Amino acid sequence: MMEPKILDVRADLKAGREPLPMIMQAVKGLSPGQPLLLRATFEPIPLYRVLGMKGYGHEAKRIEDGDWEILFSPGEKRGLFGHRSKAAPDDDAAAKTSAEGWPAPVRTLDNRGLTPPEPMIRILSTLEEMGPGEVLEAFNDREPQFLYPELRERGHSIHVEKQDQGAHLLIRHSD
Amino acid sequence: MNGVEVSPWTLRYVAVAVASFLLAQALMVLGLSYPIRPLAAPATLATVHLVTIGWLTLLMLGVLHQFIPVIGAKRLHSQAASGVTFWLVAGGLVLLVLGFLSMPSLLLPIGGTLVLAGVLIAVWNLGVTLAASRPLRLPALYVTASLCFLTLTVLLGVSFAVALTLPEVFAPATIGALLTRGIALHLLGGIGGWFGLTAMGVADRLLAMFALAPEDRGRARHWAFWLVSVGIGASWLAGLILTLMPSPVVQDIGMLGWGALFIGVALYLFDMRELFRRRRRRELEANAVFGRVSLWALGVAAAMTAFAGVLSQFASLAPALVYALLVGWLSGLALSQLYKIVPFLTWLERYGKTLGKTRVPRVQDLVVERRARPMFWLYFGGAAVGTLGMVVVSEWLLRLGALLTLVGTLGIAREIWLVRHPKTEPVPSDRQSA
């Protein structure tokens, strides 16, 4: 196994800084096949999903002072809830839009547990508050089919990752 | 970026469907159908087909042209074909109804052929859309199976029309078999296969979505689908073979099929109870409340079937059973879901463009549940009275039941009309829609 890159965010967490951009930045900087060793003050469960969707498995263990050390290693693609993603044939142009080269999300919406059309309203309202080129991330129970025509109309681009139990959306504000 | 567009045809299907249902109920109130007239009387047949083709088939086809793209995340293969189906089925229905009223008339096979043509186009159009969205999840599997039974049912219907008006086409023995066992297959395939499986699949998705219930409710959900669809398929095929040759083995397979169907319905009802029990939304909206009431009607129908089986009274209870299924369960469910579907589509159409830019009303601000709820109770009360009227074969109870369902349907139709044509512009309520 390749030597893992080590990232310690404990000091940032204690200082109240949001660690996600740093982590995503670090992931971006990994060479192909390289694992990431993350140290944090708590078990970052939401991160498992986010990195799982990027194809990273995780192994967590407790270290001194109740802190956590998690080894994220590239490998099998995992779904939102740790299932293996179904290899659904995806000829949707929507899903094909690659999110590669997009900046890290500046806003995250958890739309799970909302009845339609509320996820769509939240996404469109949040986008109105965002600037050109910024990325919004959203977790939905299902693909928001009626959202796509509105995004297209407004010139925003979307990257969709379908999961067994929902969808992970990255939406980039029009330039 | 694909996404699904709002079908321009769905609401036209809905409008003609509701009009057919109102007309059929009015005919029942006037006493122009069973039990005042015999089951096979022209007016009864015209009324029944206004309900089955005009109301339920048009409605379900209209909804499926919107529902299948949404559940499969694939655009409808052809919107134009959806329009062709609409005109063929609606036009065929008019000829069929006139044909029944002037039996024997060539209008019957002509109307039947038009309906068949429309249905085949829909099955192709929806089938291609479904095929593109594989792997299919449970609601899509329900619909795939139901479209097969739709085709079989309409094919049988056209054969009846030909047998009744051009008897020289078939051998006399075939006509005899068609008009006895064939009718049973027509009913089983139509009510159980086409309407039943569609209703089960659509309810599985819509009720879970709007009541915020999980999809992984356990094995019963999947077993229900397989038992019901394979059960109906097995008894249907057995029935077909038995019209051609007597065979005790096939008869046993047919009985097994009925057994599987019965157990499947019980599991389905159990799963639906789980759905409501495990929902995260406490306060239910009218579509879910009355969707649940319609499931009670299915439960009552299942209990009636068990009762009829124990007493060997199946033949005499069959009309009541059909009434409970068509009016209580299927039509009740259809009305309750329309009360959600139409406001939702209307809201999208009206406010989609301005979402996020200005405050818009919620979907619920487009409806007035306070006025609609009594109408639904009137409807379901009427369905119960009518079913009782069928059981005791009381003309007056049946007509009273039909009057109550008619008034209820009119009230609900008015509420839906007002969603499309509001007297005052709906305003955003205080509760922010986020």
Side-chain angles (χ1 to χ4, degrees), chain A residues 35-171:
Chain A
L36 174 74
L37 187 71
L38 180 74
R39 296 205 179 97
T41 51
F42 60 93
E43 192 181 6
I45 292 169
L47 192 61
Y48 295 165
R49 293 186 199 138
V50 177
L51 290 182
M53 277 179 289
K54 290 188 170 290
Y56 288 87
H58 60 265
E59 241 173 88
K61 63 171 185 216
R62 286 204 101 126
I63 49 175
E64 75 278 11
D65 302 332
D67 290 347
W68 287 81
E69 188 175 88
I70 305 98
L71 183 68
F72 290 97
S73 21
E76 199 167 53
K77 246 184 159 178
R78 292 265 157 184
L80 191 54
F81 296 97
H83 311 278
R84 203 171 305 156
S85 295
K86 269 219 188 86
D90 232 341
D91 48 54
D92 256 16
K96 265 189 194 154
T97 308
S98 169
E100 213 148 289
W102 287 12
V106 292
R107 298 277 296 266
T108 297
L109 292 175
D110 187 352
N111 292 330
R112 285 167 296 185
L114 294 175
T115 52
E118 288 175 11
M120 170 175 175
I121 300 175
R122 290 186 70 187
I123 287 172
L124 290 171
S125 307
T126 308
L127 280 167
E128 288 300 320
E129 297 160 6
M130 289 169 48
E134 288 184 335
V135 173
L136 166 69
E137 174 186 47
F139 294 93
N140 278 24
D141 281 326
R142 56 190 72 77
E143 264 199 90
Q145 286 300 323
F146 292 108
L147 171 69
Y148 299 153
E150 292 314 322
L151 291 178
R152 184 165 42 216
E153 185 103 332
R154 298 164 196 216
H156 307 312
S157 3
I158 181 165
H159 172 80
V160 183
E161 193 120 15
K162 273 185 233 168
Q163 310 297 336
D164 273 0
Q165 312 244 354
H168 176 229
L169 318 174
L170 288 171
I171 302 163

Side-chain angles (χ1 to χ4, degrees), chain B residues 354-413:
Chain B
T354 50
L355 280 184
K357 295 174 181 164
T358 56
R359 271 189 75 199
V360 300
R362 294 174 309 142
V363 177
Q364 278 305 97
D365 295 332
L366 270 58
V367 298
V368 187
E369 285 203 356
R370 180 175 42 78
R371 282 197 317 247
R373 282 176 185 249
M375 292 297 146
F376 274 105
W377 285 121
L378 208 55
Y379 178 86
F380 282 106
V385 171
T387 304
L388 186 64
M390 281 285 192
V391 172
V392 301
V393 199
S394 152
E395 173 189 326
W396 289 104
L397 269 183
L398 196 69
R399 287 172 77 171
L400 173 64
L403 181 64
L404 294 175
T405 58
L406 176 64
V407 174
T409 310
L410 271 172
I412 298 162

